[in-house]
Amino acid sequence: MNKYFIIILITTLSFGQTKRKLVWEENFNKPTLDESVWNFELGDGCPNLCGWGNNERQVYTNKNHEIKDGELIIHARKEEDVYTSTRITTQNKKVFQYGRIEARAKLPVGHGLWPAFWMLGENISKVGWPKSGEIDILEYVGKEPHTVFTSLHTQDSHGNTINTKKTKIESIEDGFHIYAIDWTKDKIDFFVDDILVYTFQPVIKNENTWPYNQPFYLIINLAIGGDFGGPAVDDSALPQKFVIDYIKEYQ
């Protein structure tokens, strides 16, 4: 009886996956970043958000990346006494609401490094953070190896990391892995390599607990140091690379 149940379950899951439609993908197959989709965020966040809100130590440039063999490579470097990296967003150019959003990526390794693939509510300029909501599909910090963080920030949590899950994966630094969310009007499921690692589904949904009924935009960055990533940075580990093979959206 159990065997038949498992077969039915697998068939159902497979059928659900085949019904999905790929509606957008970024394969980084142009020689330069497509600036009709992506923005560079530059500097250290000052004067409005010095340290990018987390006391991070890097300065973002439009020079710390390359596109090579269909991959976006973000470089973290220390040049004299300055840490440099890259941060890109789709704000005001490409937004997402519901569906499956995934990236295939390879992590950098080193104490103080903090790569992320995440989202912010499109209304952030009107309502501010955390009322806009935040979805952290992937966060990794070098000071906690073999661990992936999947988190959400809302007004209800006052921006604190309450709605979160730490997942231990011993091989996460080895090669590429797929980081994804499946987002509906009722819940957000988080996946690593198609394994469900966390579900966020508050019983009471209002603007403070569930700001996820609106469009969001994507952010990819490699931070250095900061409240979560550091504060200490292992300079001997630099330079390092955060490599993104592709991003896909399914509906």
Side-chain angles (χ1 to χ4, degrees):
M1 191 70 179
N2 288 340
K3 180 173 71 174
Y4 293 120
F5 174 78
I6 291 170
I7 292 172
I8 292 170
L9 178 61
I10 292 171
T11 304
T12 303
L13 288 173
S14 299
F15 179 72
Q17 291 173 354
T18 58
K19 286 177 65 177
R20 290 189 177 278
K21 180 181 179 181
L22 178 65
V23 296
W24 178 80
E25 60 185 320
E26 172 62 272
N27 289 308
F28 303 108
N29 53 11
K30 296 181 179 180
T32 60
L33 199 66
D34 183 356
E35 293 191 53
S36 70
V37 176
W38 298 100
N39 313 289
F40 289 100
E41 292 196 329
L42 305 176
D44 58 5
C46 290
N48 298 323
L49 199 64
C50 289
W52 297 99
N54 301 292
N55 296 309
E56 297 161 31
R57 300 173 66 177
Q58 78 286 339
V59 174
Y60 287 125
T61 81
N62 59 4
K63 308 293 185 183
N64 281 65
H65 76 286
E66 62 178 318
I67 294 177
K68 184 177 180 182
D69 299 327
E71 297 172 345
L72 170 66
I73 305 169
I74 295 177
H75 297 273
R77 302 187 180 104
K78 187 176 184 183
E79 301 167 281
E80 296 183 350
D81 292 327
V82 179
Y83 296 101
T84 59
S85 184
T86 288
R87 169 167 160 154
I88 59 173
T89 84
T90 66
Q91 188 176 19
N92 299 322
K93 293 180 178 178
K94 168 68 181 172
V95 295
F96 306 79
Q97 185 171 357
Y98 308 138
R100 179 182 170 95
I101 299 150
E102 68 178 34
R104 184 174 184 263
K106 183 178 181 181
L107 300 172
V109 177
H111 199 294
L113 296 178
W114 177 8
F117 172 59
W118 54 300
M119 309 179 80
L120 286 172
E122 186 184 30
N123 65 349
I124 190 168
S125 60
K126 297 178 181 178
V127 303
W129 183 93
K131 201 170 185 66
S132 63
E134 177 177 327
I135 306 171
D136 298 327
I137 304 172
L138 158 68
E139 286 185 293
Y140 170 88
V141 287
K143 66 182 180 183
E144 292 196 46
H146 320 309
T147 304
V148 170
F149 296 81
T150 47
S151 309
L152 301 110
H153 299 274
T154 66
Q155 185 66 37
D156 184 59
S157 68
H158 304 288
N160 294 320
T161 312
I162 295 172
N163 308 305
T164 186
K165 176 70 181 297
K166 284 173 60 172
T167 303
K168 196 83 170 178
I169 304 173
E170 291 296 333
S171 61
I172 201 65
E173 292 90 355
D174 300 336
F176 286 87
H177 298 271
I178 297 173
Y179 306 93
I181 56 169
D182 193 336
W183 172 18
T184 72
K185 64 182 180 63
D186 297 313
K187 66 176 181 174
I188 303 176
D189 289 326
F190 292 76
F191 297 86
V192 178
D193 293 330
D194 289 327
I195 297 171
L196 179 65
V197 296
Y198 179 54
T199 296
F200 181 65
Q201 189 175 16
V203 175
I204 298 173
K205 291 184 173 65
N206 55 45
E207 63 179 5
N208 293 324
T209 63
W210 185 257
Y212 305 112
N213 56 354
Q214 58 154 335
F216 274 60
Y217 63 89
L218 281 176
I219 306 167
I220 301 172
N221 69 292
L222 174 49
I224 303 171
D227 298 335
F228 186 44
V233 178
D234 179 7
D235 291 348
S236 68
L238 299 176
Q240 282 286 326
K241 301 175 183 178
F242 182 27
V243 185
I244 299 90
D245 180 24
Y246 65 71
I247 303 167
K248 295 183 179 181
E249 175 192 6
Y250 296 87
Q251 295 288 348

